[in-house]
Amino acid sequence: MIRVQEADFDLGAEVAKLKAGRSDIGAIVVFLGTVRDCAGRVKEMTLEHYPAMTEAELARIETEANARWPLQASLIVHRTGRLLPGDNIVLVATASEHRDAAFAAAEFLMDYLKTSAPFWKRESGPEGSHWVSADARDASARARWKAAKDAAE
Amino acid sequence: MIRVQEADFDLGAEVAKLKAGRSDIGAIVVFLGTVRDCAGRVKEMTLEHYPAMTEAELARIETEANARWPLQASLIVHRTGRLLPGDNIVLVATASEHRDAAFAAAEFLMDYLKTSAPFWKRESGPEGSHWVSADARDASARARWKAAKDAAE
Amino acid sequence: MRLLYFAWVREKTGVAAEDIDLPAGIATVGDLMAWLKTRGVGFADAFARTDVVRAAIDQTHARHDAKLAGAREIAFFPPVTGG
Amino acid sequence: MRLLYFAWVREKTGVAAEDIDLPAGIATVGDLMAWLKTRGVGFADAFARTDVVRAAIDQTHARHDAKLAGAREIAFFPPVTGG
């Protein structure tokens, strides 16, 4: 399941919905990304996105994760608009019988989301505001899944 | 933080406590382990443990995770006693500035907990009851951290 | 053809969305970027370093050598920074 | 010396905890297991395959060749299965 929204989300409620009425799930992994104030340098963050593409891209990523691992449920919720330090940005949750698949799929979803989903962060603080630069570590993090897939083929 | 208890825990409340009043955290990873009914073969699970050793062992594992990764917070909650399919068993949560540390530490905590913390599961169902056997995959999962550490040394 | 610009590409061009008639001889995303660069100071600035500008054709990531034939919506944006 | 037994080791020995005086000549965890095995059918069964019985000395995992000198509490149990 994919959701892009301005409103906050409730991590506990989202996980409860994921496992409601189910007793076949053994492992749930949740990733929660939040706004860091970076020692006071960030007072506000604005998340712009490309609506028509965002949902398509997130759905594509989720489909790919489900093709790679035996997931019983998965969820991506991403916020847009104006956020403050400490605010929730993104929630990814994966459920599987065993923890290895749930962990791997959650990491995969985050690595792909970070490098493919059309969101852009603008940070504002006492020193002005700027668009956040892409982090080269995200590209490396994504690359390892490609290698893992090639090795398995 | 370590807790061993018979009572259920509230995932949302635990994560909220972890991040309460903080704006330096960028990533939180949560692992939730739940009782699987294994297609009806499990109707009930009883978790026995060695109280004096359990808390010491969990604390030791948590200290080790904090020595390996820059964690801003960590939490292990493990239940004991009688549990039913779908019930929560264990919660592990890690907070860090970046997701790589939070993911790795959460996986590490689970791999070590599974192979070191003195808990024993007994499952009951229509075919009787039995002590759960250790899963060889848990030993392999743990071994990779040893290798990773040796390689880094 | 509809063109969309996001984040600092939008700010530098001063345009969020526009409809254009593709000039003759423009076959790829890269051709289009080279042409856009000639449309004034803002566009020249936005596309000064085309290696850091990403593109999508009809809501799908596209390389700079991707063909535009049949495309309805082309978007230009910086490397993504969500999550 | 206090001895504790957990899970199926407890069920097979029929004992959860007991205090014993260590017989002479028992220096290691392995020695202790060999001696316990002689204490009747339940103990013989519990320690029949010592390779699958784990031990802890004073709440810390211990190998079968670990020395007992100075130990106050020895626990025996199957491989752990929590989480």
Side-chain angles (χ1 to χ4, degrees):
Chain A
M1 252 246 297
I2 298 296
R3 274 176 16 231
V4 180
Q5 61 189 43
E6 293 212 359
D8 194 11
F9 49 77
D10 178 331
L11 184 146
E14 297 295 345
V15 173
K17 256 188 282 175
L18 209 72
K19 70 191 283 276
R22 299 189 67 155
S23 48
D24 56 338
I25 294 172
I28 294 178
V29 171
V30 183
F31 177 84
L32 175 66
T34 52
V35 180
R36 284 187 300 139
D37 68 357
C38 297
R41 281 180 288 114
V42 177
K43 293 292 180 203
E44 189 182 317
M45 175 183 279
T46 307
L47 261 152
E48 179 171 334
H49 75 130
Y50 176 3
M53 182 169 170
T54 312
E55 304 228 356
E57 196 64 23
L58 292 180
R60 198 184 63 74
I61 294 169
E62 192 186 36
T63 299
E64 175 72 18
N66 278 274
R68 290 188 182 216
W69 293 280
L71 302 183
Q72 296 167 316
S74 56
L75 171 69
I76 305 175
V77 185
H78 203 296
R79 295 182 68 191
T80 60
R82 184 170 167 271
L83 302 174
L84 301 175
D87 278 358
N88 295 327
I89 304 172
V90 61
L91 176 74
V92 158
T94 53
S96 190
E97 286 190 12
H98 300 287
R99 72 186 185 286
D100 52 353
F103 267 119
E107 280 203 80
F108 171 91
L109 287 172
M110 280 308 302
D111 289 347
Y112 270 60
L113 184 158
K114 283 261 182 187
T115 48
S116 285
F119 292 102
W120 301 276
K121 287 174 182 157
R122 189 179 176 84
E123 291 175 349
S124 305
E127 290 159 31
S129 80
H130 68 279
W131 292 98
V132 173
S133 300
D135 189 330
R137 286 176 298 183
D138 290 328
S140 324
R142 177 183 177 129
R144 66 193 162 136
W145 299 107
K146 182 77 170 59
K149 204 190 172 194
D150 290 347
E153 271 164 0
Chain B
M1 254 248 294
I2 299 296
R3 272 175 18 231
V4 180
Q5 60 189 44
E6 292 211 0
D8 195 11
F9 49 78
D10 179 330
L11 184 146
E14 296 295 346
V15 173
K17 258 188 281 177
L18 209 71
K19 70 190 282 279
R22 298 190 66 155
S23 47
D24 56 338
I25 294 172
I28 293 178
V29 170
V30 183
F31 176 84
L32 175 66
T34 51
V35 180
R36 286 188 298 139
D37 68 358
C38 297
R41 281 179 288 114
V42 177
K43 295 290 180 205
E44 189 182 317
M45 174 182 283
T46 307
L47 261 150
E48 178 171 335
H49 76 130
Y50 176 4
M53 182 170 170
T54 312
E55 304 228 354
E57 196 64 24
L58 292 179
R60 198 185 63 74
I61 294 169
E62 191 186 36
T63 299
E64 175 71 19
N66 277 273
R68 291 188 181 215
W69 293 279
L71 303 182
Q72 297 168 314
S74 56
L75 172 68
I76 306 175
V77 185
H78 203 297
R79 295 182 69 191
T80 59
R82 184 169 168 271
L83 302 173
L84 301 176
D87 278 358
N88 295 326
I89 304 172
V90 61
L91 177 72
V92 158
T94 53
S96 191
E97 287 191 12
H98 301 287
R99 72 185 185 287
D100 51 354
F103 267 119
E107 280 202 81
F108 171 90
L109 287 171
M110 281 307 302
D111 289 346
Y112 271 59
L113 184 157
K114 283 259 182 188
T115 49
S116 285
F119 293 101
W120 301 276
K121 286 175 182 156
R122 189 179 176 84
E123 291 175 349
S124 304
E127 292 159 29
S129 80
H130 68 279
W131 291 98
V132 173
S133 299
D135 189 331
R137 285 176 298 182
D138 290 327
S140 324
R142 177 183 177 128
R144 65 193 164 137
W145 300 107
K146 183 75 171 59
K149 206 192 171 194
D150 290 347
E153 273 164 3
Chain C
M1 179 176 281
R2 187 153 188 81
L3 300 187
L4 304 177
Y5 308 94
F6 293 96
W8 56 252
V9 180
R10 170 179 55 72
E11 287 185 344
K12 289 183 177 186
T13 60
V15 180
E18 62 178 339
D19 291 300
I20 61 153
D21 290 317
L22 210 57
I26 293 183
T28 67
V29 168
D31 294 343
L32 178 54
M33 290 169 84
W35 175 72
L36 288 169
K37 210 187 285 195
T38 68
R39 291 174 72 211
V41 177
F43 279 88
D45 186 23
F47 292 96
R49 288 190 52 209
T50 50
D51 59 315
V52 296
V53 178
R54 302 285 180 268
I57 298 179
D58 294 335
Q59 297 94 45
T60 301
H61 288 288
R63 292 161 42 128
H64 290 188
D65 60 2
K67 298 268 189 281
L68 297 177
R72 283 176 302 179
E73 182 175 289
I74 314 294
F76 294 102
F77 43 78
V80 302
T81 56
Chain D
M1 178 176 279
R2 188 152 187 81
L3 300 186
L4 303 177
Y5 308 93
F6 293 96
W8 56 252
V9 180
R10 171 179 53 73
E11 287 186 343
K12 289 183 177 186
T13 60
V15 180
E18 60 178 342
D19 292 299
I20 61 152
D21 291 318
L22 210 58
I26 293 183
T28 67
V29 168
D31 294 343
L32 178 54
M33 291 168 84
W35 174 72
L36 288 169
K37 211 186 282 193
T38 68
R39 292 175 71 212
V41 177
F43 278 87
D45 186 22
F47 293 95
R49 287 189 53 208
T50 49
D51 59 315
V52 296
V53 178
R54 303 284 179 268
I57 299 179
D58 293 335
Q59 298 93 46
T60 301
H61 288 289
R63 293 160 42 127
H64 291 187
D65 59 3
K67 298 269 189 281
L68 298 177
R72 286 177 301 182
E73 183 175 288
I74 314 293
F76 293 102
F77 43 78
V80 303
T81 56

